Structures are given as C-alpha cells and as structure tokens.
Amino acid sequence: MPISIENGIVDENWMLTYDGEEVKLEVKQSNLPQTLFITNRKGFRGRHPWEIFFRILNEFVWFYDITIQDVNGGHGEYCANLNYLPNDDSYAIRLFDFKQQVFKDDQHLALGFFREGVSSGSSYYAFLCYAKILEIPFKDGKSKGDWIDHEIPNLKGELAVSLRDRRVHMLGGKTLGMWLKKDGRDALSHANIQSGKTVRDPNSYQDWDEIKWGNTAMRELAEKVIIEKLGVTNKRN
C-alpha cells in the first residue's frame, strides 16, 4: 500500500545506515508501535545494539519533532529489535533521504536527555533533563550560570518571555536565572522537608504549574545549548 499521511502508513520498511550498522525500520500500521531491527552475523563487538537504537531515536525526536513512548523489545548476540510508539507516524514519510547527522558522544548525551525530557510526560522530569543538558558544554557552574544569564534576555518563546517579564510575582524577587536554579533545579533535587529548603511537591498544583512555566524557558535554553554550544544542526532547518 502506498504511503499516505491522511490514511496512515501501512506495511512500509526503511533501511537506515547508522553507526556502521544496517538498521531496518518497520511500520505495520498507523498509530501502533514501530520496530527497529538490527542483524549482524559477526555480533556487535561488545557494544549493546540498543545503544544504536537509542541514538537513532535521538535523531528522530530532534530532527522530526516527535516524541516516543512504550519502548520495549529484545536482543541477542547477533540480532536485536526495539519497539516504540511515536506520537505522530507521518515523520516516517520523510525518512527516504535519512542520513546520520550526529556522531559525537556529548551531542548524543544531550539529545538523549532531550528525547527523555520531551517524551516523558512529566513536567518535573523534563525540567531535570533540560537542566542536565545545560551542564554538558560547561566546565563549571559559574560558566554555565553566566551563559544562562546572558541568554535569558534573548528568549524568544512567548511563554518563556512572559515568565521572564510578566510573572514577576512567581519569581519572588529573584532573577529568572536564579529562580530556575534555586526554585527549579535545586528544589526538584531536594526531598528533605526538614531542611528548610524549597522542595517541589508532586502533589502540589502550584509547584506543578510553576515548573511547567519554568520548562518554557528551560527547553528553549536547552535547545540553544544543543545547537550553539554542541554544534547539532538546528532541527527546524
């Protein structure tokens, strides 16, 4: 059956070369899990084949603007498969000219956290993933903080700008950079309520709402780091 965005993609296969392996993507039916396959008669030379799958998914999520869920599958000495459910399977239509674009470990570390963050469905976990991305290219916390403070005036997303400029009551007199650190990353890392430090409670609507707002800035900053500091091509190109 031919590929159709309107009617879905049914019984289609794509062969992708990735990290020196031939990987097959199989799409059986629209809105159902898709499957990545690898077969290598020589084995995978000590490298787990799922590492290749995860790196492919990094590029799918980044360059094709999808999220993935329900990851499962199996592996052996000479073959492996990974199943996943994308939120939109029409991205596969654009795989006819797919070529690996990301090779460096620090790039894939960042894209792995990005994949996890955007796909998780958890505002708290997404915030922590974006915070980890912001650590990758910097030698220490000061250089990272200086970069964040420099870039916050350049935020472009409507909600991120609103958080910075209009929701000053939520920031409690802090700069946005300080709030993202103290009331965001640090507060999400703490669970000792006896310490007197701010703890983000997953049962609190206010905490959940504020972290969702924080994510509008954190995601934009994380994407900026991936593109400008780690050298990954802008996914919107």
Side-chain angles (χ1 to χ4, degrees):
M1 181 178 293
I3 299 172
S4 166
I5 294 178
E6 181 178 355
N7 298 320
I9 304 170
V10 180
D11 291 330
E12 295 286 347
N13 296 326
W14 286 261
M15 294 304 301
L16 314 173
T17 300
Y18 207 92
D19 286 349
E21 299 283 352
E22 292 299 313
V23 181
K24 182 172 75 168
L25 169 64
E26 183 178 272
V27 181
K28 283 291 187 182
Q29 187 172 338
S30 181
N31 300 317
L32 290 179
Q34 302 175 2
T35 303
L36 293 168
F37 293 97
I38 296 179
T39 300
N40 190 323
R41 294 180 180 180
K42 296 181 180 179
F44 297 104
R45 302 178 181 86
R47 181 180 186 184
H48 200 294
W50 274 45
E51 293 181 15
I52 300 171
F53 291 149
F54 284 139
R55 287 161 66 100
I56 291 176
L57 292 177
N58 288 348
E59 295 208 28
F60 286 177
V61 169
W62 177 258
F63 291 112
Y64 299 96
D65 200 24
I66 64 170
T67 63
I68 62 164
Q69 295 180 332
D70 300 339
V71 174
N72 61 79
H75 61 89
E77 187 175 356
Y78 302 104
C79 62
N81 70 285
L82 181 146
N83 310 309
Y84 65 97
L85 182 65
N87 65 320
D88 178 4
D89 56 24
S90 66
Y91 81 96
I93 294 174
R94 292 178 282 161
L95 293 177
F96 68 94
D97 60 350
F98 176 87
K99 290 183 180 179
Q100 182 175 357
Q101 298 186 59
V102 182
F103 298 89
K104 296 180 180 179
D105 287 341
D106 60 350
Q107 294 174 332
H108 269 297
L109 181 61
L111 290 184
F113 282 126
F114 186 81
R115 165 176 52 81
E116 286 285 293
V118 300
S119 299
S120 69
S122 166
S123 297
Y124 286 10
Y125 182 57
F127 192 106
L128 290 173
C129 286
Y130 301 145
K132 289 179 181 294
I133 292 169
L134 294 179
E135 294 178 1
I136 292 172
F138 300 103
K139 294 181 178 180
D140 52 55
K142 184 181 185 307
S143 57
K144 178 189 71 174
D146 289 346
W147 182 87
I148 291 173
D149 289 341
H150 179 269
E151 293 301 330
I152 280 176
N154 302 321
L155 291 172
K156 299 184 185 306
E158 181 179 352
L159 294 179
V161 170
S162 178
L163 171 63
R164 182 193 65 199
D165 297 342
R166 300 176 63 182
R167 296 181 66 87
V168 292
H169 61 285
M170 196 176 91
L171 302 181
K174 302 180 180 73
T175 65
L176 177 55
M178 184 181 298
W179 184 90
L180 291 173
K181 180 182 185 302
K182 297 293 186 181
D183 294 59
R185 188 200 66 180
D186 292 353
L188 285 170
S189 299
H190 299 150
N192 183 356
I193 59 176
Q194 289 80 20
S195 69
K197 297 179 180 178
T198 302
V199 174
R200 291 299 186 177
D201 182 353
N203 303 302
S204 166
Y205 170 80
Q206 180 176 335
D207 285 352
W208 172 81
D209 186 56
E210 289 185 1
I211 293 301
K212 281 192 69 177
W213 274 98
N215 276 334
T216 64
M218 289 294 285
R219 176 168 175 169
E220 184 172 337
L221 290 169
E223 291 181 355
K224 195 174 186 67
V225 158
I226 291 171
I227 296 166
E228 297 184 3
K229 305 296 287 186
L230 298 176
V232 178
T233 304
N234 189 337
K235 63 179 180 175
R236 294 179 178 84
N237 286 348

